[in-house]
């Protein structure tokens, strides 16, 4: 499968978050061309600061493999991971992160800051812009509706 195929699954999960009233972010962890963990934002639903798509997907992947080490795994996520999620990515030894949208307000992989460039114990490859249009459409729709509700 190609990066686009796995990212489209992440977009489906972002839609699930959107349907729940959450910021529409979805994530999947892939090893050997198979999805081993999935997640979507659930911070508001569960009132949990840890309720990010990446954290849910990483946790599920660790349980699937029976290990906290996700070496040779790729994380696909519809928005650039925040600092917390970037820390989890580095600590879980994920090899590559593919994301759709740059997050200039809170991104931890280059949008706002870049934890991957400060010489920590693990280096992460990144690819950005995969399924950017699909992810942007969902995020834009979510925040437009949120602004309209607040009026």
């Amino acid at each position: 499968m190609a990066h686009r195929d796995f990212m489209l699954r992440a977009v489906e999960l972002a839609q699930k978050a959107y349907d729940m009233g959450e910021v529409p972010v979805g994530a999947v962890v892939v090893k050997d061309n198979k999805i081993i963990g999935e997640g979507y934002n659930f911070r508001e639903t569960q009132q949990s600061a840890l309720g990010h798509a990446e954290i849910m997907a990483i946790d599920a992947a660790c349980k699937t493999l029976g290990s906290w080490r996700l070496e040779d795994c790729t994380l696909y996520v519809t928005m650039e991971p925040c600092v917390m999620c970037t820390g989890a990515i580095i600590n879980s030894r994920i090899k590559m992160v593919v994301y759709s949208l740059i997050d200039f307000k809170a991104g931890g992989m280059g949008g706002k800051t870049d934890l991957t460039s400060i010489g920590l114990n693990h280096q992460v490859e990144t690819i950005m812009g995969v399924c950017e249009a699909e992810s942007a459409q969902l995020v834009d729709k979510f925040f437009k509706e949120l602004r309209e509700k607040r009026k």
Side-chain angles (χ1 to χ4, degrees):
M1 292 182 84
H3 290 313
R4 180 170 173 75
D5 296 320
F6 290 119
M7 188 63 78
L8 287 173
R9 176 60 186 150
V11 170
E12 289 174 4
L13 293 164
Q15 179 67 53
K16 184 172 183 173
Y18 172 88
D19 293 342
M20 295 170 49
E22 299 280 351
V23 176
V25 178
V28 297
V29 177
V30 173
K31 183 176 173 93
D32 298 329
N33 239 13
K34 293 181 183 157
I35 294 174
I36 61 168
E38 296 186 335
Y40 50 86
N41 275 3
F42 61 97
R43 190 166 58 174
E44 296 297 331
T45 306
Q46 296 293 318
Q47 289 299 297
S48 172
L50 302 177
H52 289 213
E54 301 93 324
I55 300 296
M56 182 186 231
I58 289 169
D59 187 52
C62 290
K63 288 175 180 166
T64 297
L65 295 181
S67 174
W68 63 268
R69 290 178 183 88
L70 299 180
E71 298 161 332
D72 298 320
C73 291
T74 300
L75 172 71
Y76 293 85
V77 60
T78 58
M79 185 176 288
E80 177 185 352
C82 70
V83 172
M84 174 182 70
C85 293
T86 302
I89 289 161
I90 291 166
N91 282 306
S92 64
R93 311 294 195 266
I94 288 175
K95 181 178 182 177
M96 178 185 287
V97 174
V98 180
Y99 63 89
S100 299
L101 304 173
I102 296 171
D103 185 349
F104 293 107
K105 292 183 179 180
M109 301 188 92
K112 181 68 175 175
T113 191
D114 189 355
L115 291 183
T116 65
S117 69
I118 63 172
L120 295 174
N121 65 326
H122 178 69
Q123 299 302 307
V124 181
E125 299 172 47
T126 59
I127 296 173
M128 61 186 93
V130 177
C131 295
E132 185 175 7
E134 294 89 335
S135 297
Q137 180 181 25
L138 200 52
V139 168
D140 291 347
K141 182 179 173 186
F142 176 82
F143 284 109
K144 180 181 179 188
E145 290 173 0
L146 188 63
R147 284 189 299 274
E148 288 173 2
K149 284 180 189 175
R150 290 182 177 167
K151 286 183 180 179

